[in-house]
């Protein structure tokens, strides 16, 4: 996505990381990602909005040079995380007259992460402070917790372009900064939301209100495509952050010898017959990004696991911990699985890992060895329990 003109005097100068396969060592990014940075030219001064991962410094500087810009007066840092701030010291060194512009919290975090940034090169701004570039004005809007406590937006006031850093990002490496067809970015954007934004859903809702109030013409995030139609990302975020879950069940499962797998098939079928959408994921081969995406919407998490010796399978524990970390809006949880000779405490072990979600627990189902007709009857009851609880929320 190098060398793209966003509008007159506003350039995309970021880089695509096509083969990045994990982000934060947590969730896969099968379609890579981008680190978006933008050059805003005023009549008198120029500003760079964010930088890129340090390993892409050369490419980034090449893209900046390709715009023909001769000087940078301000390097604006919306967020201290290194995928956007990692080249700040290089920019300050390359343009000795330039200043780093950011809020106090971000300034402190940047200097914690990169102690070589000189204090006398920093301009510290407050909420709604402005910066005159000559015929163009940048306004800084505090937006904590999208993604860290120091995050902020930068608004190019005259053009009504908002640079939102992580908010509205997508893990999608693409050669086009604008993608008109939502089908091209829906999945990478939801995957990104699930991993980065969902844990702060309450804060995200507040930031959406702020963004809505600005009557924007364009939203330019720092990962993935930018949006000429701000209503599009706002509508997606409105859906994903809504309080009400969907009539859907996520089943992350692991089976060592097939008994738990047969329980998955039975439970899935029973739920589908009741009109409930089901997302089963075999954790041995699952894309955890898809598991995270499904967590955005589902009302119930039903974890399935066999035992390893007499304790929970570690893959099931990982899935439970991932859900606990990402803080989805789910209301209910349950457990089912097979054990060999002892595994009676496994439901408690696994469901205990969801502790911060405060979910209502639906009675678990276990079988010793292969599932029997009694096991299947118990799973039918579990499906009925889930159905009745979904009905109590008015889900269809
Ligand atoms: Fe894209 Fe929170 O950094």
């Amino acid at each position: 996505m190098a060398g793209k003109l966003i509008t007159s005097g506003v350039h995309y100068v970021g880089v695509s990381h096509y083969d990045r396969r994990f982000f934060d060592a947590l969730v896969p990014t099968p379609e890579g990602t981008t680190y978006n940075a933008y050059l805003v030219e005023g009549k008198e001064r120029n500003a760079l909005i964010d930088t890129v991962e340090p390993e892409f410094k050369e490419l980034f500087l090449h893209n900046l040079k390709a715009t023909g810009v001769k000087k940078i007066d301000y390097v604006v840092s919306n967020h201290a995380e290194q995928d956007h701030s990692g080249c700040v010291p290089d920019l300050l060194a390359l343009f000795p007259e330039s200043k780093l512009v950011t809020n106090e919290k971000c300034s402190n975090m940047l200097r914690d992460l990169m102690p070589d940034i000189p204090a006398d090169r920093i301009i510290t701004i407050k909420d709604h402070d402005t910066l005159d570039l000559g015929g163009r004005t940048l306004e800084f809007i505090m937006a904590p917790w999208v993604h860290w406590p120091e995050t902020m937006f930068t608004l190019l006031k005259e053009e009504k372009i908002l640079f939102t850093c992580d908010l509205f990002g997508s893990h999608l490496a693409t050669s086009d900064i604008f993608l008109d067809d939502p089908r091209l970015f829906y999945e990478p954007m939801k995957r990104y939301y699930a991993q980065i934004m969902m844990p702060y859903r309450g804060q995200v809702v507040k930031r959406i209100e702020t963004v809505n109030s600005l009557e924007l013409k364009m939203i330019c995030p720092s990962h993935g495509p930018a949006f000429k139609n701000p209503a599009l990302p706002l509508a997606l975020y409105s859906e994903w952050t809504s309080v009400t879950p969907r009539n859907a069940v996520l089943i992350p499962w692991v089976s060592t010898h097939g008994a738990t797998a047969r329980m998955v098939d039975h439970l899935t079928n029973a739920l589908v017959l009741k009109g409930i959408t089901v997302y089963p994921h075999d954790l041995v081969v699952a894309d955890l990004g898809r598991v995270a995406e499904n967590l955005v919407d589902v009302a119930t998490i039903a974890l399935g696991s066999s035992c390893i010796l007499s304790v929970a399978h570690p893959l099931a524990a990982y899935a439970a911990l991932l859900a606990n970390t990402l803080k989805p809006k789910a209301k209910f949880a349950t457990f089912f699985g097979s054990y060999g000779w002892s595994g009676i405490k496994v439901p408690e072990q696994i469901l205990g890992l969801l502790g911060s979600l405060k979910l209502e627990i639906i009675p678990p189902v276990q079988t010793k060895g292969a599932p029997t007709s009694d096991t299947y009857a118990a799973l039918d009851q579990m499906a009925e329990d889930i159905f009745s609880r979904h009905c109590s929320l008015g889900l269809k």
Side-chain angles (χ1 to χ4, degrees), residues 37-312:
Y38 302 92
L39 171 67
V40 180
E41 296 176 301
K43 286 182 185 149
E44 294 159 22
R45 289 168 287 278
N46 303 319
L48 182 70
I49 316 286
D50 292 318
T51 71
V52 307
E53 275 278 6
E55 69 175 286
F56 285 92
K57 179 179 81 172
E58 301 301 330
L59 204 52
F60 168 54
L61 295 179
H62 175 83
N63 291 344
L64 189 57
K65 191 176 171 188
T67 65
V69 71
K70 297 288 184 269
K71 63 165 184 148
I72 298 291
D73 300 278
Y74 303 116
V75 179
V76 176
S77 180
N78 282 326
H79 179 21
E81 196 164 10
Q82 71 160 25
D83 49 333
H84 311 296
S85 69
C87 289
V88 163
D90 301 293
L91 263 295
L92 295 178
L94 194 61
F95 298 97
E97 305 301 317
S98 65
K99 299 283 190 187
L100 171 63
V101 180
T102 192
N103 62 76
E104 185 175 8
K105 194 168 278 185
C106 190
S107 168
N108 292 337
M109 291 176 79
L110 286 168
R111 296 193 75 225
D112 286 342
L113 293 164
M114 295 173 284
D116 292 342
I117 295 176
D120 63 359
R121 299 283 300 275
I122 301 175
I123 297 175
T124 305
I125 50 82
K126 294 190 173 61
D127 197 16
H128 297 295
D129 278 359
T130 58
L131 202 57
D132 178 17
L133 302 180
R136 276 186 153 155
T137 315
L138 298 180
E139 179 179 350
F140 307 102
I141 300 169
M142 297 305 111
W145 298 110
V146 290
H147 159 221
W148 283 0
E150 87 299 359
T151 42
M152 67 180 196
F153 303 146
T154 297
L155 174 67
L156 179 55
K157 285 178 74 105
E158 288 78 7
E159 278 80 3
K160 289 190 167 285
I161 299 175
L162 189 68
F163 301 95
T164 55
C165 203
D166 279 346
L167 190 67
F168 306 120
S170 304
H171 280 318
L172 176 63
T174 167
S175 51
D176 296 313
I177 182 71
F178 296 112
L179 295 175
D180 294 331
D181 185 346
R183 289 174 298 180
L184 297 173
F185 59 79
Y186 179 91
E187 196 278 330
M189 190 175 180
K190 192 171 186 181
R191 176 183 295 256
Y192 183 92
Y193 168 81
Q195 183 198 347
I196 305 292
M197 294 294 153
M198 187 160 66
Y200 306 110
R201 189 162 52 92
Q203 296 290 337
V204 173
V205 168
K206 291 181 189 170
R207 305 309 152 228
I208 291 173
E209 286 169 11
T210 302
V211 174
N212 264 319
S213 71
L214 296 172
E215 299 180 349
L216 298 170
K217 292 191 175 155
M218 205 182 294
I219 289 177
C220 293
S222 288
H223 294 284
F227 303 96
K228 286 180 181 169
N229 176 10
L232 191 53
L234 282 165
L236 291 174
Y237 264 57
S238 171
E239 177 190 329
W240 297 337
T241 58
S242 75
V243 176
T244 310
R246 288 182 55 231
N247 186 22
V249 176
L250 173 69
I251 304 182
W253 63 274
V254 54
S255 180
T256 49
H257 294 291
T260 300
R262 295 204 288 283
M263 297 173 77
V264 173
D265 290 340
H266 190 92
L267 178 62
T268 299
N269 195 59
L271 290 165
V272 169
L273 286 175
K274 291 180 179 299
I276 297 173
T277 301
V278 187
Y279 303 111
H281 291 275
D282 178 354
L283 293 167
V284 173
V285 293
D287 172 354
L288 287 176
R290 295 306 296 248
V291 174
E293 275 180 69
N294 294 151
L295 278 169
V296 171
D297 299 308
V298 297
T300 297
I301 303 166
L303 284 144
S305 177
S306 51
C307 285
I308 293 294
L309 304 177
S310 58
V311 296

